[in-house]
Amino acid sequence: MKTLSEFITERLLTESEINSESEFREYAENKFKEAFGDELDEDQMNEVINGLLDDNKDLVERNQWGDLIGKLNMSFAH
């Protein structure tokens, strides 16, 4: 079992490596798969990811992937 510190460090390193839309999509898909497992609805997942990208084109254009990841993570908190 990982310690909280190891988990956070691993997660931050993964998030900090995102530099493109395709890397963001891959990160988001993995997050959905972790959260929903076998119950994952890929259509809904794609709708959420596409919606985040479409609604936050300014962040995408400025390569502010960390801010977009924050929005993605907030969507899991609700």
Side-chain angles (χ1 to χ4, degrees):
M1 177 176 230
K2 295 179 188 175
T3 67
L4 179 58
S5 177
E6 289 170 332
F7 177 79
I8 290 171
T9 301
E10 179 181 283
R11 184 66 62 186
L12 290 174
L13 290 173
T14 302
E15 292 173 3
S16 69
E17 294 173 354
I18 296 173
N19 294 307
S20 68
E21 182 178 329
S22 63
E23 290 173 351
F24 173 78
R25 283 183 182 279
E26 181 180 343
Y27 173 83
E29 288 173 5
N30 288 332
K31 182 119 179 136
F32 272 91
K33 289 173 185 175
E34 286 177 27
F36 295 101
D38 292 338
E39 296 179 19
L40 176 65
D41 181 328
E42 290 196 22
D43 290 334
Q44 282 187 319
M45 173 189 73
N46 289 324
E47 186 177 319
V48 170
I49 294 170
N50 291 336
L52 278 169
L53 290 166
D54 289 343
D55 292 346
N56 296 282
K57 289 181 182 184
D58 58 322
L59 297 178
V60 173
E61 290 170 3
R62 295 191 315 252
N63 291 316
Q64 292 182 318
W65 301 107
D67 291 342
L68 198 54
I69 289 167
K71 290 179 180 279
L72 173 68
N73 289 337
M74 286 182 2
S75 72
F76 284 95
H78 296 253

